[in-house]
Amino acid sequence: MYNCRRYPDRATRIKRLKELHRCTKCIREHHPDNCTTSIRSCNKCHKGQHHTALCGDTSTKSAKPQEEEGATTSVQLCTVLPDISVFSTRSKHKSALPTARLIIRNGKNMATIRGLFDQGSQLTYISKELVDKPKLTPVEETRINIAGFLTDSGARAYRVVRPKVQLGGYVRKVPVLVVDRFPTDLYVEGLGTTAKFLEEKGIPLADKITSDNLSNIGILMGSDVYHKFIIGKEDYHGMNVLPSEGGYLLTGPVLQLKQLAPVDHQHANTVMVV
């Protein structure tokens, strides 16, 4: 909202807020007199009780990220160095990251890939090698600074493609930034057993998980498109799952499954329990 060109100044923004019946203190849908926000003053000028985007003080620096050449902003991507992979969970922490089998469509051309849904990423990314399979053509180029957990890559130009992404019977056209690659070492101890257990319980998964290793991540679905595919969160047999048209996505700590001996000798097989 700080970079909005349609309503570039304080006067036009306040006018638009009034048209939408929104508060000038917190931007939510209520009258300013009924606002219960805890904000006492603007974070920019520290003078009035108004939202920072409505501040008319140009003497202080704004809260927006610093811009370099072109439309530069700061976004988060989980891995930015070749020798660092924070996707990897090879540790005592046994938490699943939500993945699904996705179909990337471009006219009659298509490619099936594994996608990772990550609300911690502001934008959506696809690996360079998967752009050629469905013959995706860049629609534009944007200059951004991808900042990760451990370092800052600096501003550079990235190609943007706009494929149709299909999850089950649900298809959406989304803008995607092309990056060199994603890490392939995605490991969660017990993930394969948990996936098999849920499938046997009649809980269809959106990804074909057969082991504790998940490789070939081709696209990272960020928070900009996450809500278009994933709605809500459910719980089955103690496992957190995200519902989608293509099945459930596993997320959070995996089940601690173990095999027990039969209760009596009339049962031929051991039973799997949580």
Side-chain angles (χ1 to χ4, degrees):
M1 63 180 74
Y2 303 99
N3 298 321
C4 179
R5 296 179 180 179
R6 188 172 181 180
Y7 306 100
D9 52 45
R10 174 183 173 87
T12 56
R13 293 179 181 184
I14 291 179
K15 180 181 178 182
R16 181 56 178 161
L17 284 175
K18 289 181 177 179
E19 293 173 353
L20 298 174
H21 304 290
R22 287 182 174 267
C23 178
T24 54
K25 297 178 183 179
C26 67
I27 315 296
R28 295 186 176 91
E29 293 186 73
H30 56 247
H31 193 276
D33 293 342
N34 300 324
C35 186
T36 58
T37 180
S38 59
I39 299 175
R40 298 301 177 188
S41 62
C42 172
N43 291 330
K44 183 178 179 183
C45 68
H46 304 289
K47 297 176 183 178
Q49 192 178 11
H50 54 257
H51 194 277
T52 308
L54 302 177
C55 187
D57 188 351
T58 58
S59 62
T60 57
K61 293 183 179 180
S62 69
K64 66 181 181 180
Q66 290 185 352
E67 295 189 4
E68 299 180 18
E69 298 179 32
T72 303
T73 186
S74 178
V75 297
Q76 172 187 319
L77 183 61
C78 290
T79 301
V80 291
L81 293 181
D83 56 343
I84 296 177
S85 172
V86 296
F87 279 161
S88 177
T89 54
R90 191 178 294 274
S91 68
K92 294 181 180 179
H93 301 286
K94 303 174 182 179
S95 295
L97 299 176
T99 59
R101 292 285 174 161
L102 302 173
I103 298 177
I104 305 299
R105 294 183 176 275
N106 180 31
K108 295 182 179 180
N109 300 313
M110 66 179 67
T112 301
I113 63 176
R114 170 173 276 143
L116 171 66
F117 285 76
D118 180 18
Q119 284 188 294
S121 175
Q122 290 177 309
L123 299 178
T124 296
Y125 304 85
I126 191 170
S127 62
K128 183 188 299 182
E129 62 178 313
L130 290 171
V131 171
D132 297 331
K133 288 185 178 181
K135 299 180 180 179
L136 297 173
T137 303
V139 295
E140 62 178 309
E141 189 174 90
T142 183
R143 185 176 174 82
I144 66 172
N145 176 25
I146 298 180
F149 294 119
L150 302 175
T151 188
D152 194 321
S153 67
R156 53 162 284 193
Y158 290 87
R159 293 180 296 161
V160 179
V161 294
R162 197 179 292 270
K164 289 183 178 179
V165 179
Q166 179 176 344
L167 175 54
Y170 197 74
V171 182
R172 277 291 180 270
K173 201 169 187 178
V174 298
V176 189
L177 271 71
V178 181
V179 295
D180 293 336
R181 67 177 182 86
F182 291 118
T184 57
D185 182 22
L186 214 168
Y187 172 87
V188 183
E189 184 178 346
L191 181 60
T193 305
T194 298
K196 181 180 179 181
F197 173 80
L198 294 176
E199 290 278 8
E200 290 175 348
K201 293 296 182 179
I203 302 172
L205 301 182
D207 195 3
K208 294 181 180 179
I209 301 174
T210 58
S211 70
D212 294 348
N213 290 283
L214 292 178
S215 59
N216 301 322
I217 299 294
I219 187 170
L220 185 148
M221 306 291 283
S223 59
D224 56 333
V225 299
Y226 184 97
H227 63 283
K228 294 182 178 180
F229 295 89
I230 308 299
I231 300 177
K233 186 177 180 181
E234 298 177 14
D235 180 282
Y236 287 102
H237 300 283
M239 186 72 204
N240 294 320
V241 294
L242 306 174
S244 76
E245 287 291 327
Y248 291 99
L249 285 70
L250 302 182
T251 183
V254 299
L255 295 175
Q256 299 300 308
L257 298 173
K258 57 184 178 180
Q259 287 190 327
L260 299 179
V263 176
D264 55 60
H265 297 289
Q266 293 180 353
H267 295 83
N269 301 317
T270 59
V271 293
M272 188 76 74
V273 299
V274 179

